[in-house]
C-alpha cells in the first residue's frame, strides 16, 4: 500500500510537470504589460503567468491572516 501511494504521487507530479512544461512551451509570445501608466518589460506570457501565480500565493495568505486577525479582534470587543 505504501508503494502504491508513492507511485501515484510520482505519477501525479510527473503529470503536473508535463502540464507546466506544455503551458510554458505553448506560451512563448512576448507581451508588455501596462499598469497605471507604467510599462513593464517585454516578457513571455508563461513567465508573466508564473510571476502572477507566485505573487498571489504570497499575497493571499497575508490578506487572509489580516482579515482573520481583524475578525478575532472585533469578536473580543463584542464579548
Amino acid at each position: 500500500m505504501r508503494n502504491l501511494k508513492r507511485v501515484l504521487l510520482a505519477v501525479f507530479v510527473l503529470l503536473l510537470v508535463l502540464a507546466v512544461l506544455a503551458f510554458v512551451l505553448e506560451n512563448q509570445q512576448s507581451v508588455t504589460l501596462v499598469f497605471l501608466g507604467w510599462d513593464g518589460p517585454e516578457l513571455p506570457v508563461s513567465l508573466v503567468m508564473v510571476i502572477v501565480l507566485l505573487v498571489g500565493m504570497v499575497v493571499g495568505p497575508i490578506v487572509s491572516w489580516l482579515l482573520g486577525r481583524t475578525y478575532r479582534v472585533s469578536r473580543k470587543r463584542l464579548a
Side-chain angles (χ1 to χ4, degrees), residues 24-70:
V24 168
L25 292 176
E26 290 291 325
N27 291 291
Q28 291 296 317
Q29 305 87 348
S30 293
V31 293
T32 302
L33 298 179
V34 179
F35 181 70
L36 299 174
W38 177 75
D39 293 331
E42 193 169 301
L43 299 171
V45 173
S46 58
L47 184 60
V48 172
M49 294 298 290
V50 169
I51 290 170
V52 168
L53 174 69
L54 293 175
V55 168
M57 289 174 68
V58 170
V59 171
I62 291 172
V63 170
S64 176
W65 177 75
L66 288 174
L67 290 176
R69 185 173 171 212
T70 304

